[in-house]
Amino acid sequence: MRRPIIAGNWKMNNTASAGVALVEALKPLVKDANCDVAVCVPAIDIPAVAEALKGSNVALGAQNVHFEAKGAFTGEISADMLKEYGVKYVIIGHSERRQYFGETDETVNKRTLAALNAGLIPIVCIGESLEERETGKTEAVLETQIKEGMKGIDDISKIVIAYEPIWAIGTGRTATAEQANETIAFIRKTCAEVFCPKCAEKVRIQYGGSMNAGNCKELMAMPEIDGGLIGGASLKAPDFSAIVNFDK
Ligand code: PGA
């Protein structure tokens, strides 16, 4: 019932020309995908990559968006600026932004509402640290991130949620499929309580954290996991396409 979505998060990798080369290699490999496919690219790559993706089934995503429409916010990028290039998705609240750039549930919330208002689809990232998992705080942390970061969203199924345990990001240490499924089930249950049961059934929840060609099948076979947010493995066309084609 929920269409899976596999999104690449290039992070701060690929100049515009390298990005174009990557999507040119990727397009033929994913053209028959049975899921939604997106690449979330550095802002400055957007114009060139948008052009290269024209007519393909790969959608374009950004990695952040400011919450104000315009004004004196040096270094920031507005939703309208993204929209003009056909950007469809925007990652919000990635753990790296929370850790290194002072992102909080409050700013995540403001960015998410601004993106929705502008007609972008936010991919809102949540997840616990290793210490939080080991001290039994995972559910409390996720609950706060949902209640605060997603406050005021009228229909939660309009966003995509990425569950990314911080300890699994870029570490090669994946959550087991059972762990990921169980935690995503908790996220869905919380969404049902905080928002509405119907929207919670519909909202797509990705897993992210060292997902690759080798483990994607097992993760994607889990009933609660509706896709992946892929970092390292999205930087090579064969690796990323193998995940996109997880069902083949
Ligand atoms: P990774 O990154 O796949 O390299 O672990 C995932 C992410 O941070 O979105």
Side-chain angles (χ1 to χ4, degrees):
M1 169 190 123
R2 295 182 296 264
R3 186 171 165 83
I5 168 166
I6 304 288
N9 173 13
W10 289 2
K11 309 191 180 187
M12 197 175 72
N13 293 292
N14 290 325
T15 60
S17 58
V20 168
L22 175 53
V23 299
E24 289 301 349
L26 184 66
K27 284 191 293 181
L29 302 177
V30 299
K31 67 177 179 10
D32 299 318
N34 296 315
C35 59
D36 289 344
V37 188
V39 286
C40 300
V41 311
I44 200 162
D45 293 5
I46 286 173
V49 174
E51 192 58 36
L53 289 179
K54 272 196 184 138
S56 79
N57 61 330
V58 181
L60 184 56
Q63 299 176 8
N64 193 15
V65 62
H66 194 61
F67 36 83
E68 295 294 343
K70 61 178 174 178
F73 302 100
T74 302
E76 292 293 318
I77 290 175
S78 75
D80 277 354
M81 294 170 189
L82 300 176
K83 290 272 294 181
E84 191 164 287
Y85 284 100
V87 170
K88 184 169 178 185
Y89 298 97
V90 57
I91 297 173
I92 295 175
H94 190 278
S95 62
E96 287 149 19
R97 295 217 54 89
R98 294 179 190 254
Q99 188 179 349
Y100 305 127
F101 303 101
E103 199 81 63
T104 63
D105 286 332
E106 190 190 345
T107 57
V108 167
N109 186 241
K110 286 161 90 172
R111 291 183 205 278
T112 302
L113 295 175
L116 279 172
N117 272 337
L120 293 165
I121 301 175
I123 300 177
V124 180
C125 302
I126 58 176
E128 81 286 1
S129 67
L130 185 59
E131 195 208 332
E132 288 161 346
R133 177 156 285 263
E134 285 176 344
T135 51
K137 296 198 188 107
T138 299
E139 296 194 348
V141 166
L142 294 171
E143 201 175 316
T144 303
Q145 289 174 336
I146 292 167
K147 283 188 175 155
E148 300 301 322
M150 301 176 197
K151 198 160 52 188
I153 299 179
D154 61 344
D155 179 353
I156 196 74
S157 69
K158 286 190 187 146
I159 73 166
V160 173
I161 299 173
Y163 167 58
E164 300 204 305
I166 297 168
W167 46 272
I169 295 177
T171 57
R173 181 175 166 183
T174 331
T176 64
E178 288 75 22
Q179 255 174 345
N181 191 63
E182 192 178 285
T183 312
I184 290 178
F186 171 79
I187 293 168
R188 198 177 302 287
K189 177 171 113 346
T190 306
C191 286
E193 286 160 12
V194 175
F195 303 101
C196 81
K198 256 198 187 142
C199 319
E201 263 316 300
K202 280 200 326 200
V203 66
R204 294 185 292 180
I205 310 180
Q206 299 171 312
Y207 168 77
S210 298
M211 192 160 165
N212 58 40
N215 59 30
C216 64
K217 274 195 174 36
E218 196 191 348
L219 286 159
M220 290 302 295
M222 289 289 154
E224 295 290 340
I225 302 179
D226 304 319
L229 185 57
I230 321 298
S234 72
L235 298 175
K236 291 204 175 105
D239 294 355
F240 188 59
S241 64
I243 302 173
V244 169
N245 296 317
F246 66 91
D247 59 337
K248 300 199 172 116

